[in-house]
Amino acid sequence: MATVIVTVGLAFIGYLATYLNGLRLAQRQARLTRVNEQLSDFYGPLFALMEANGRTYDAFSEKYARPDGRDPFRHETPPTDQELAEWRTWATTVFIPNIQAMRDVVVTKADLLIEEEMPHVLLQLCAHVAGYEITAARWAQGNYEEHLSLISFPGPELREYIRDRFTRLKNEQARLLGHNRIAGWNR
């Protein structure tokens, strides 16, 4: 009788251990799936678009720099008509489509946020895009009085936010996969 109790007890402990291990593995797999989705559908695209936009803006600023090295929009002397025409070309061809793509990621994939509430910096991005859409619509009508969005682009804050979340998720992904941590994603 004692051996039956021991056998049943060991079987139950084995079953319980198998069940708990399976549960732990399922939870780990679910977390990995979520992290992969956050990276591939939200933070990865935002990271790539932010970096591309930043590098392109740096190229614009360098190409159209004034003799003191500053671009026409960061200068006390207002931009010339030629500089404004170049800006409109760059903005409508590259910058506005990039920030619209960033906004679209935020609006359509907000369920993949790390945070429980929408971060202020992402709301600022969305507002900035809306401001530029009004400006671009005026350009399309031939009105060139305004050349910037009424709401400023949260560049440094947005870059820091995206890099931090992207790196954090890449590190968690590596941990879940059993790999070493990623030191950092530097430009």
Side-chain angles (χ1 to χ4, degrees):
M1 181 70 156
T3 57
V4 170
I5 293 174
V6 170
T7 303
V8 169
L10 289 174
F12 178 74
I13 291 171
Y15 168 77
L16 186 59
T18 301
Y19 171 77
L20 292 175
N21 188 51
L23 182 62
R24 184 185 62 78
L25 289 174
Q27 289 171 335
R28 182 183 187 120
Q29 183 58 47
R31 181 63 190 144
L32 179 59
T33 299
R34 170 84 173 159
V35 167
N36 286 341
E37 193 175 0
Q38 286 174 305
L39 285 167
S40 68
D41 295 348
F42 193 84
Y43 292 101
L46 280 180
F47 183 82
L49 288 164
M50 182 71 188
E51 288 300 312
N53 205 56
R55 292 171 191 206
T56 305
Y57 185 80
D58 290 347
F60 168 83
S61 295
E62 191 175 307
K63 180 174 175 77
Y64 296 101
R66 298 279 176 82
D68 64 1
R70 293 184 290 164
D71 76 54
F73 291 101
R74 290 189 173 88
H75 206 276
E76 52 278 350
T77 304
T80 66
D81 287 342
Q82 177 61 34
E83 289 169 332
L84 292 173
E86 286 298 326
W87 172 252
R88 289 191 300 271
T89 300
W90 282 68
T92 56
T93 306
V94 179
F95 301 128
I96 294 173
N98 276 351
I99 62 174
Q100 286 172 324
M102 292 170 73
R103 185 260 329 263
D104 293 347
V105 168
V106 170
V107 171
T108 62
K109 302 293 184 174
D111 61 309
L112 297 173
L113 281 166
I114 291 175
E115 298 83 5
E116 291 183 25
E117 294 183 16
M118 182 69 71
H120 172 76
V121 69
L122 296 179
L123 295 173
Q124 181 79 9
L125 167 68
C126 293
H128 173 74
V129 174
Y132 252 122
E133 288 172 335
I134 293 297
T135 301
R138 288 183 180 139
W139 293 344
Q141 298 170 349
N143 179 342
Y144 304 123
E145 290 178 26
E146 297 289 329
H147 280 82
L148 302 174
S149 174
L150 293 174
I151 295 134
S152 63
F153 184 67
E157 184 184 4
L158 183 61
R159 177 174 275 142
E160 180 181 335
Y161 169 82
I162 293 170
R163 281 177 180 260
D164 174 73
R165 298 328 185 267
F166 183 80
T167 302
R168 188 185 316 175
L169 286 169
K170 287 300 287 181
N171 284 329
E172 185 174 357
Q173 181 187 52
R175 182 186 58 77
L176 289 167
L177 291 170
H179 300 129
N180 292 330
R181 298 186 68 119
I182 297 167
W185 291 77
N186 296 324
R187 186 168 162 181

